[in-house]
Amino acid sequence: MQTTAVILARRPGQTFVAEDLGLGTIDLPDLSAGQALVRNQYMSLDPSTRGRMDPGEKQYTTNFVVGGPLDGSAVGVVVESSSPKLPIGATVRHRMGWREYAVVDDSAATICDISVAPATAWLSSLGQTGFTAYAGLLPVGLLQPGQIVLVSGAGGAVGSMAGQFARLMGAGRVIGSAGGAEKCAWLRDDCGFDDVINYRDGDFAAELPQLAPDGIDLFFDNVGGWQLAAALANMRINGRVSMCGAISNFGTQEQPSTAVLIETILRRVTIQGFIVRDYEDLRGEFERRVIDWLASGELVDRSTIVEGIANAGAGLAGLLAGANVGKALVRLSE
Ligand SMILES: NC(=O)c1ccc[n+]([C@@H]2O[C@H](COP(=O)([O-])OP(=O)(O)OC[C@H]3O[C@@H](n4cnc5c(N)ncnc54)[C@H](OP(=O)(O)O)[C@@H]3O)[C@@H](O)[C@H]2O)c1
């Protein structure tokens, strides 16, 4: 059997464009014992996919090969199976996205209970997105009730979850930053952020101390660059920075000097980077809490959905440019 897949056509230049990807046909192997054929329904669009197109070695994942297919998180329905763990008709999550059909090993796929949340949520609030927010706040950020929390990239997938989780875990105040008035209004009106800075139209460094005159206890950073520099200058003594992502590094914008790190000394700030996959032992408690928050209506899970595999490259370019509100997904089939 063959399937349509997204192929890395060439390594991107400084700015990723949809034409860096192409569509191709790849062979799928016959099922071996312990495998299933999955018709993919939705796949996740992730900033890390852009990083994996570069040749430089990553510490936590593999890079794509020019001419070869991409991969990434997806959910789909089992249509053929050689595994009792993956029955036909089950909805499963796995890492063989960027293709319409996939052969997956049962050791690398998990069943999604779509009676508690729709398939899309298993890539968003209940997926690696939500889990990243959870890990970044608790084992990394050591969030305490009453603390003042700042989340950059708050209008996106991880950021919108991080801010809402912080609120639900008892943060005293949650401040976000996002690009554009629509995202800022959504975060304030629907997601319960106390304040949001529109960093594209405003002056983040000037607005932050006005919104947090007593400083920030925990900064959940998705962005890096100038927002990180400004946040460091507004941290409380012994504050923490949970370094989730540095998406501003992908662009062409000039980056601040490491001289800003003097603030970590003056303010005794702890900065900790993390990779979500190191926290698998927390997966069960994370899912139980998020299922409860979704059921009670306290947690908003919003997706921006691009239609069809042919538009996946444009969807990724849109994500990197800020086109998504909440989680960016591609619908591959009904
Ligand atoms: N450490 C981990 O294990 C882990 C796991 C998953 C994700 N991450 C990281 O978490 C971050 C968020 O990922 P996500 O999947 O939730 O993506 P996302 O936030 O849904 O999408 C990316 C967003 O980044 C913003 N952005 C783009 N360029 C920017 C710039 N130069 N400065 C400021 N913001 C910019 C855009 O929103 P605006 O409109 O607001 O600009 C865009 O919507 C990424 O840095 C990602 O690499 C880390």
Side-chain angles (χ1 to χ4, degrees):
M1 181 178 167
Q2 293 188 313
T3 190
T4 303
V6 177
I7 308 290
L8 180 61
R10 63 186 183 208
R11 298 213 182 274
Q14 196 117 40
T15 302
F16 168 83
V17 290
E19 292 70 30
D20 295 329
L21 305 178
L23 282 187
T25 303
I26 59 169
D27 293 327
L28 292 176
D30 294 334
L31 294 191
S32 301
Q35 291 187 321
L37 177 66
V38 176
R39 175 173 53 79
N40 285 335
Q41 292 176 301
Y42 294 94
M43 64 175 225
S44 172
L45 290 172
D46 299 291
S48 58
T49 303
R50 167 65 189 86
R52 295 177 65 197
M53 295 175 197
D54 289 335
E57 198 51 50
K58 302 285 178 296
Q59 301 299 321
Y60 72 103
T61 187
T62 53
N63 286 341
F64 301 122
V65 174
V66 175
L70 273 56
D71 60 59
S73 295
V75 289
V77 176
V78 175
V79 292
E80 278 180 47
S81 184
S82 300
S83 167
K85 294 181 189 162
L86 303 176
I88 289 175
T91 298
V92 294
R93 184 177 60 207
H94 57 87
R95 293 207 48 82
M96 301 302 278
W98 296 87
R99 63 204 69 196
E100 291 184 321
Y101 285 83
V103 170
V104 302
D105 295 335
D106 58 13
S107 59
T110 51
I111 303 266
C112 303
D113 183 352
I114 55 170
S115 71
V116 299
T120 51
W122 289 95
L123 290 175
S124 180
S125 53
L126 279 164
Q128 212 67 339
T129 288
F131 195 37
T132 301
Y134 194 83
L137 288 172
L138 285 186
V140 180
L142 305 179
L143 173 66
Q144 300 293 321
Q147 285 190 327
I148 297 174
V149 178
L150 172 68
V151 180
S152 63
V158 173
S160 61
M161 288 299 144
Q164 291 186 85
F165 289 177
R167 169 174 58 76
L168 291 162
M169 290 170 184
R173 214 150 150 254
V174 180
I175 302 168
S177 74
E182 185 202 349
K183 288 184 189 184
C184 294
W186 174 64
L187 291 167
R188 251 187 243 109
D189 300 344
D190 297 350
C191 299
F193 280 63
D194 296 289
D195 283 298
V196 188
I197 300 171
N198 180 352
Y199 81 92
R200 286 192 197 268
D201 292 343
D203 182 343
F204 180 82
E207 289 178 51
L208 184 58
Q210 290 169 17
L211 295 179
D214 298 326
I216 304 293
D217 294 299
L218 171 59
F219 177 34
F220 189 110
D221 189 17
N222 289 304
V223 164
W226 293 102
Q227 292 192 47
L228 173 59
L232 287 178
N234 287 277
M235 296 302 294
R236 279 185 165 170
I237 304 293
N238 294 323
R240 294 184 71 84
V241 180
S242 184
M243 290 286 292
C244 178
I247 197 164
S248 69
N249 286 12
F250 286 141
T252 52
Q253 77 183 62
E254 190 197 336
Q255 294 287 322
S257 140
T258 53
V260 299
L261 291 173
I262 186 73
E263 296 290 351
T264 66
I265 302 167
L266 303 177
R267 295 164 192 272
R268 294 75 144 177
V269 170
T270 302
I271 301 183
Q272 187 178 335
F274 72 99
I275 294 291
V276 63
R277 67 180 54 174
D278 296 339
Y279 297 90
E280 274 306 319
D281 55 319
L282 298 178
R283 178 78 66 172
E285 68 165 60
F286 153 73
E287 288 186 355
R288 284 191 293 278
R289 293 182 81 174
V290 172
I291 286 170
D292 284 349
W293 288 332
L294 289 171
S296 66
E298 294 168 288
L299 179 67
V300 175
D301 183 337
R302 177 169 170 179
S303 305
T304 300
I305 299 178
V306 169
E307 294 293 336
I309 196 166
N311 293 316
L316 182 63
L319 170 92
L320 296 169
N324 59 306
V325 183
K327 178 69 191 168
L329 299 171
V330 179
R331 193 189 333 256
L332 296 168
S333 69
E334 279 308 315

